[in-house]
């Protein structure tokens, strides 16, 4: 039986974030190049988008390229950039058919012009869709995002648009690239690593963390459903006691 049958759709997390890790190790195990691992990881991206849509997830954030990834060897960075843009282009019609919207989060100005232009045109093409929103984190890091938010808030205070006392958690949310999007309730990381790696540090404050030893190219639809079932079997207390929760439910 598939784990899918055990998912309680009414309690599916609205937002799931994924650190797709292990492409390099997957390829090395097979005596292949790291680039081959990234190419094979594309199928796992398809599986994950399909599974998220079927499970009723509304927002899916995929950590595709971190700010720190710019420090990788130049040929790997170039190969990843062209893979990312080619995948976005070649999948655009399929995403459109499935009513999927795309949003890019990250420092878009640091991307090669062609990558920026072409991804933005696909974002525009899919902008009227109303189903699952895929947020692709590209040249993204949480500390970069938080500093950016702080700078914008400081500018708005200086201009008199807001007062220092107006600064609240809700206001801060609105200065992040995930403004108006609920925080992820579940974060999945593949490859056995147990780190956040500068990913959505503010937004993941209360997320359930799910780590699987599977390397990213091996991640299947069923693996995604297992993560959702595991999430649904956890007690989310938000600082309260079990007894308090039982009373409110
Ligand atoms: C981490 O594995 C993976 C990445 C840095 C890139 C992820 C990109 C893809 C899966 C390609 C397609 C993606 C989209 C969204 C279209 P790693 O290289 O860190 O692996 P390692 O830890 O084993 O070295």
């Amino acid at each position: 039986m598939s784990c899918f049958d055990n998912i309680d759709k009414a309690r599916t997390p609205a937002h799931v974030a994924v650190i797709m890790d292990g492409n390099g190790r997957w390829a090395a195990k097979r005596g292949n190049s790291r680039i081959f691992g990234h190419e094979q990881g594309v199928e796992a991206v398809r599986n994950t988008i399909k599974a998220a849509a079927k499970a009723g997830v509304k927002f899916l954030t995929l950590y595709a390229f971190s700010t720190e990834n710019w420090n990788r060897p130049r040929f790997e960075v170039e190969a990843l950039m062209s893979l990312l843009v080619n995948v976005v282009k070649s999948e655009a019609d399929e995403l459109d058919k499935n009513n999927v919207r795309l949003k890019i989060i990250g420092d878009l100005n640091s991307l090669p012009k062609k990558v920026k232009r072409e991804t933005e045109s696909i974002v525009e093409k899919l902008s009227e869709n109303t189903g699952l929103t895929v947020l692709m984190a590209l040249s993204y890091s949480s500390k970069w995002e938080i500093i950016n938010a702080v700078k914008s808030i400081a500018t708005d205070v200086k201009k008199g648009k807001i007062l220092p006392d107006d600064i609240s958690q809700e206001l801060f949310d609105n200065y992040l690239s995930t403004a108006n999007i609920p925080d992820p309730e579940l974060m999945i990381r593949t490859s056995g690593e147990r780190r956040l790696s500068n990913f959505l540090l503010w937004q993941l404050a209360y997320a359930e963390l799910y780590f699987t030893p599977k390397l990213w190219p091996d991640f299947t639809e069923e693996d995604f459903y297992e993560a959702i079932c595991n999430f649904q079997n956890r007690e989310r207390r938000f600082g309260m006691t079990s007894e308090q929760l039982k009373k409110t439910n």
Side-chain angles (χ1 to χ4, degrees):
M1 196 174 86
S2 165
C3 228
F4 180 75
D5 303 313
N6 292 328
I7 294 176
D8 172 359
K9 285 277 190 82
R11 292 192 304 117
T12 292
H15 187 173
V16 178
V18 186
I19 301 183
M20 312 179 287
D21 196 11
N23 294 347
R25 277 164 283 167
W26 186 93
K29 271 189 179 176
R30 290 158 179 80
N32 266 306
S33 72
R34 298 179 53 80
I35 316 295
F36 181 69
H38 297 312
E39 286 165 357
Q40 297 304 303
V42 175
E43 188 55 28
V45 173
R46 283 193 201 100
N47 294 336
T48 304
I49 293 176
K50 209 189 297 173
K54 279 211 232 165
V57 170
K58 297 276 178 277
F59 300 93
L60 174 72
T61 300
L62 302 173
Y63 205 3
F65 192 90
S66 71
T67 309
E68 289 78 16
N69 287 152
W70 289 112
N71 298 324
R72 291 193 174 192
R74 202 169 128 191
F75 70 91
E76 184 174 345
V77 169
E78 283 173 2
L80 261 172
M81 282 295 141
S82 71
L83 177 66
L84 288 164
V85 75
N86 288 338
V87 171
V88 170
K89 273 165 64 183
S90 64
E91 299 294 319
D93 286 342
E94 188 63 20
L95 293 171
D96 201 20
K97 222 163 60 190
N98 288 290
N99 198 19
V100 173
R101 219 155 46 122
L102 183 67
K103 182 175 159 66
I104 310 290
I105 59 168
D107 183 7
L108 292 190
N109 291 328
S110 68
L111 295 173
K113 283 199 175 58
K114 184 169 180 270
V115 175
K116 182 172 184 285
R117 193 178 57 244
E118 300 199 325
T119 49
E120 279 178 342
S121 92
I122 307 294
V123 167
E124 175 60 28
K125 173 182 159 81
L126 305 177
S127 62
E128 301 293 312
N129 289 342
T130 54
L132 172 72
T133 299
V134 175
L135 289 98
M136 208 162 92
L138 256 188
S139 192
Y140 173 89
S141 82
S142 195
K143 288 192 175 182
W144 164 84
E145 180 185 41
I146 289 170
I147 292 292
N148 248 0
V150 171
K151 281 185 192 164
S152 303
I153 291 172
T155 306
D156 284 351
V157 169
K158 202 170 158 194
K159 285 185 185 159
K161 281 193 186 171
I162 51 171
L163 296 170
D165 272 347
D166 295 335
I167 301 170
S168 62
Q169 294 188 20
E170 292 70 27
L171 180 130
F172 196 79
D173 279 337
N174 288 330
Y175 281 82
L176 295 172
S177 45
T178 48
N180 301 316
I181 292 172
D183 286 343
E185 289 157 82
L186 171 66
M187 195 287 298
I188 302 171
R189 182 172 189 151
T190 58
S191 92
E193 304 294 348
R194 291 164 176 259
R195 286 190 290 279
L196 289 180
S197 298
N198 216 345
F199 185 45
L200 302 173
L201 300 178
W202 171 274
Q203 297 90 330
L204 291 176
Y206 257 105
E208 295 295 325
L209 308 181
Y210 179 85
F211 300 102
T212 165
K214 282 240 176 145
L215 300 176
W216 180 250
D218 290 329
F219 194 76
T220 62
E221 267 191 69
E222 191 57 31
D223 291 321
F224 188 86
Y225 301 140
E226 266 175 35
I228 303 280
C229 287
N230 181 289
F231 166 86
Q232 292 190 334
N233 285 326
R234 297 186 189 187
E235 185 182 59
R236 308 193 72 213
R237 289 195 293 274
F238 301 100
M240 291 192 283
T241 66
S242 275
E243 289 66 33
Q244 283 177 303
L245 277 182
K246 276 176 200 128
K247 273 187 209 151
T248 52
N249 285 333

